[in-house]
Amino acid sequence: MGQRSTVNDEHSSESDGGAAALAKIVMFVRSRTSPSSLRTPRRLYSTGQANTIRTFEKDSRWPGWQVIIGIEVHAQIKSREKLFSQTWAPDLGSTPNSHVSPYDAAFPGTLPVTSRLNFACVNLALRTAIALQSDIQQRSTFDRKHYFYSDLPAGYQITQHYNPIARGGYVFLPKSNISVCIEQIQLEQDTGKSLFEPRRRLLSIDLNRAGIGLMEIVSKPDMRSPEEAGEYVRTLQALLRSVGAGDGNMEQGSLRCDVNVSVNRYGQSPGTRCEIKNLNSVRFMMVAIGSEVHRQIAMLDTGKSVPQETRGFNEDTGETFALRSKEEAPDYRYMPDPNLPPLFLTEGHITSVRKEMPALAVEIRERLAHRGLTHQDIDVLMAVDSGNEIGFDGRRSQGAVAYFEALAKGRNSRTAVNWMIHELLGQLTQRKKAFHENPISQERMGSLIDMVQSGIVTGSSGKLLLRHMLDHPSSEPLTELGERLGLLAVRGDDFVEHLCLQAIADMPEEANAVRRGVPNVINKLLGQVIRASKGRADPQSIRRMLQKQLSSP
Amino acid sequence: MTVAVKDNICTKDMPTTCSSAMLRNFKSPFDATVVRLLNNSGATIVGKANCDEFGMGSLNVHSVHGPVINPFQHPSSSVKWEERERRSAGGSSGGSGAAVAAACVMRNALATDTGGSVRLPASYCGIVGLKPSYGLISRWGVVSFADSLDCVGIIGRDAACTSKLFDILSVFDERDPTAARPTTREKARELCSEHMAEWVSSDATDLTNLRIGIPQEYFPTSLDKSIVSSFRRVVRALKHRGATVLPVSLPNTSYALSAYYVISSAEASSNLARYDGVQYGLHVPLPPGVKRRILLGTYALTADAFDNYFLQAQHLRQCIREDFMRVFRVPNPLARMKTAITTATTTPHDPAGVHVLLHLSAVRTAPLLDSDEQDGLHPSLAGLPALSVPIAAGAEGDGWPLGVTVVGQWGCEKMVLAVGASIEGVKREDVLGGE
């Protein structure tokens, strides 16, 4: 590089604006194309992979046509904090703009915070990736996606365009009996929310949501009918809930879908796709796909071609409508974020997340069946509180299954499940309370069962005690509580002996019948003694005492 | 300590306009980390200093507050100070530079440097300007121009007070995602003192074993003779004190400005997207310099141009960084981290290499305000510490100040400041210059 020119004059192009400056750079790029000292920069991204091949299946709604559907799901990650700021995520119904830090509002001078990057978000994305059998990337990076919209104050959204956190994977749909492949999972920031009030002609911006962690889960175009698309989203919802990654609620917007639909005549190459946005439920999504398929077929049937565009969905008419054409589509100008270092995940970290994975539904069923529970019992336990066993940030909350398993530890499973389902859940339902409102700890519930089993209280006293515990939550030791309420079983034989003698004296006819050898009549005497003891005496010992007294001469 | 703060650094109690009509009424709800550190150390912030709009410029003429006039006046001049020749104070931190050069009470000012915005005003105003290693001083609260290049810089009367302020500000801040970790800082500190021990002795004028490299590419043949001879005099004096001065080559220098321009414009177009007059700022047209950068950066990031411009520029940046790493004697404390990120092969340091590099801070003395002469910069793509120190103007020049820049390995601020202090000594003992 022998003789060198001076360092260029940065501002020489002031007079003729950007043109000269650009030309300079064009020259620089051209000059860079030949020397071997500079290899072509490594591309920051990989090219797409081939679609999954599926055999054509006829659909009587559109005979001779094949429908190809791919879905991008945006799922809000169930974390207490936002992704790059320590702001608390809002609850449903939080006052607008009450959970906003200067960073969330893109104030000049603010920067994303990564020294305390919300690792709960990362770990929940990893759980999702593991559940989807995706290939977790030990190095992923963050990029800026630029577009102008009033609910995006910075003018860009941080996402993972070039190097996502996970690639590949699949979801199996049992009803359709197909697997839908996953392209990639990327971490990104949610935007704010804009609410338009037509009557006041007022657009309001709520930044509470801005900066919350999102996962974008991109499927391959593997679905062939609205039903498959519906099953895909429902399966994904269940999966997200089971690993605690998200609520997956479309109506509340914690799960949003963009659906790509194209049609082609059987045997021909795939048609031009249209993207449908802003779908608020699985049902609407299926209606929108159906209507979009009919629209595209009608166009092709009349010899027109389908233009590539983004479409909205009108819930009242059940039809899609054009939002913007391909020409109007924004160029997002993806740029590696200069503030955010790459996210490195060690093998050890991924393994620890794998170990902490909540069990999938199939595994839980198997475990419970192994403990000797019936299918009905398992169904009941798993349906409690919609099976939502995991709280914010992936923390295990006290779900019914976990409660049962703690209860069954060192106890008879059948006894434990009977107490839990028939007594505890039954009493909670009567009180119109959800399981997470249950005031009785598993330790206390366990002691109650133990007291009944060891005869300290009788079964019926135990049930009374449980009701009292539900209505008057306290930490008073159960034996003291039972004592205070006069519910403890009376162990002393004197007491039982006395009551039995009393009963025999009160019911001479029955007593004589037993003595004469009619054994069943003893039950009448037994009932009398139980009533007299107010349930505090154990029926077995009463029977034994009566038999002893009546057999003696 | 009284300090002026450049107006693109957020202050809770004063407006932060970035010298733009866009943010004319903007008051930040928080203090930048550097401002907080200043307040904690008992410093008084006397006010906000003028700058080029959003830090974009090298003359400090693109400002809603008007241009900054260089306060320098040659002692031999007979005209009144108020009527002195109207020359530029340099940009973009011209206000910070002029404040320190003019005010007797104020020894320091905070500035920012993206592509030379601290070193140029220092050179034009005849004071000291330090652009520290990228990542050592927190950027939290500094309004971003180009995040991967922006640094908070320090302007001071001399190397000693600059060093003092650097110690106050150079602390890890977890609010800055690009801040160097405490372990990296410690490693850099150790490497720096280890290599300073090679030449620092009790006699401050003895520079035996200090190896100074002169990057050949920084001295084009077109350079003004008077300026070159001033530089030569400094080199001779340093040699006289025992320093070894060697020519070194940074072969990719000629691409630096193009790479800088693409990267800084791309990042600027992204960072300034929020000033659309809806989210932030007023609905005012942007000046041509800012507009040009936004348009250029926007173009460089479009899908069609990204590979040819942005990626090429990033690659060049890596080449330029490697150029520097090849010539330094001190190993790069970030080396292992960098290899992990870029997977590029890093060159092992050269034990025969130099401690610091020395070159002119500017290719001329301060230009006239209304001239369209503008200075070229040696942009700081490698994130290295660079200190501009004034040198004695030669009799053959125009009598206006001129600076030389000392560049060191990442984290070698102490070394760069020590060499800077020696050069200040040379200036005082100008007589030694004759050889």
Side-chain angles (χ1 to χ4, degrees), chain A residues 4 7-8 10-11 22 25-26 28-29 32 38 43 105-107 109 111-112 114-115 144 146 331 333 339, chain B residues 139-141 147 174 177 217 255 257 270-271 274 280 293 296 301 303 307-309 316 319 374 377-378:
Chain A
R4 46 217 27 99
V7 185
N8 285 322
E10 175 178 9
H11 297 267
L22 264 188
I25 288 157
V26 169
F28 137 67
V29 170
R32 298 315 311 144
L38 285 182
R43 284 181 79 85
F107 263 67
L111 295 168
T114 55
S115 55
R144 293 181 181 179
H146 298 89
D331 181 331
R333 293 177 280 124
N339 286 323
Chain B
R139 288 191 298 119
W140 169 261
D147 296 289
E174 60 175 16
E217 291 81 1
Y255 305 115
L257 201 81
S270 174
N271 286 327
R274 68 193 65 180
Y280 288 97
R293 278 185 175 82
L296 196 68
L301 289 177
D307 286 14
N308 277 342
Y309 295 89
L316 276 173
C319 294
Q374 313 230 347
L377 310 169
H378 304 298

Side-chain angles (χ1 to χ4, degrees), chain B residues 42-59:
Chain B
T44 311
I45 295 167
V46 290
K48 303 299 283 284
N50 199 346
C51 60
D52 274 309
E53 195 154 352
F54 291 106
M56 297 176 180
S58 54
L59 285 180

Side-chain angles (χ1 to χ4, degrees), chain A residues 66-95:
Chain A
Q66 172 167 260
V67 176
I68 297 180
I69 302 161
I71 301 180
E72 286 167 29
V73 168
H74 297 262
Q76 236 175 48
I77 303 174
K78 195 170 167 186
S79 174
R80 264 295 173 208
E81 286 183 353
K82 296 188 177 184
L83 189 56
F84 292 119
S85 65
Q86 265 76 55
T87 325
W88 271 54
D91 299 312
L92 270 179
S94 290
T95 316

Side-chain angles (χ1 to χ4, degrees), chain B residues 155-208:
Chain B
I155 283 178
R157 279 294 180 77
D158 50 40
C161 73
T162 306
S163 182
K164 207 176 128 197
L165 190 50
F166 173 75
D167 289 340
I168 293 171
L169 301 179
S170 168
V171 288
F172 174 68
D173 176 21
E174 60 175 16
R175 307 237 270 173
D176 177 359
T178 54
R181 303 256 134 204
T183 46
T184 316
R185 289 165 193 262
E186 190 48 45
K187 193 176 164 191
R189 220 181 339 261
E190 280 167 19
L191 285 170
C192 179
S193 37
E194 189 187 310
H195 286 81
M196 275 177 80
E198 293 173 353
W199 53 272
V200 172
S201 67
S202 52
D203 180 5
T205 58
D206 181 13
L207 299 178
T208 313

Side-chain angles (χ1 to χ4, degrees), chain B residues 22-199:
Chain B
M22 192 58 91
L23 292 177
R24 198 190 270 277
N25 303 317
F26 179 69
K27 207 163 171 185
S28 177
F30 54 84
D31 274 334
T33 299
V34 283
V35 170
R36 185 171 52 79
L37 290 170
L38 280 179
N39 286 332
N40 289 353
S41 71
T44 311
I45 295 167
V46 290
K48 303 299 283 284
N50 199 346
C51 60
D52 274 309
E53 195 154 352
F54 291 106
M56 297 176 180
S58 54
L59 285 180
N60 209 151
V61 290
H62 303 296
S63 165
V64 73
H65 310 299
V68 175
I69 303 161
N70 197 321
F72 179 82
Q73 188 177 27
H74 200 273
S76 64
S77 172
S78 54
V79 296
K80 280 202 288 189
W81 186 74
E82 291 76 14
E83 288 156 17
R84 70 196 183 282
E85 198 175 13
R86 284 167 63 90
R87 290 211 190 187
S88 164
S92 64
S93 313
S96 303
V100 171
C104 313
V105 285
M106 191 168 18
R107 298 184 66 80
N108 286 110
L110 288 192
T112 63
D113 189 315
T114 305
S117 291
V118 160
R119 292 157 282 167
L120 211 50
S123 182
Y124 288 174
C125 296
I127 46 166
V128 168
L130 172 68
K131 183 214 87 80
S133 309
Y134 182 81
L136 283 188
I137 298 187
S138 170
R139 288 191 298 119
W140 169 261
V142 177
V143 179
S144 294
F145 160 13
D147 296 289
S148 74
L149 294 156
D150 292 346
C151 285
V152 173
I154 300 166
I155 283 178
R157 279 294 180 77
D158 50 40
C161 73
T162 306
S163 182
K164 207 176 128 197
L165 190 50
F166 173 75
D167 289 340
I168 293 171
L169 301 179
S170 168
V171 288
F172 174 68
D173 176 21
E174 60 175 16
R175 307 237 270 173
D176 177 359
T178 54
R181 303 256 134 204
T183 46
T184 316
R185 289 165 193 262
E186 190 48 45
K187 193 176 164 191
R189 220 181 339 261
E190 280 167 19
L191 285 170
C192 179
S193 37
E194 189 187 310
H195 286 81
M196 275 177 80
E198 293 173 353
W199 53 272

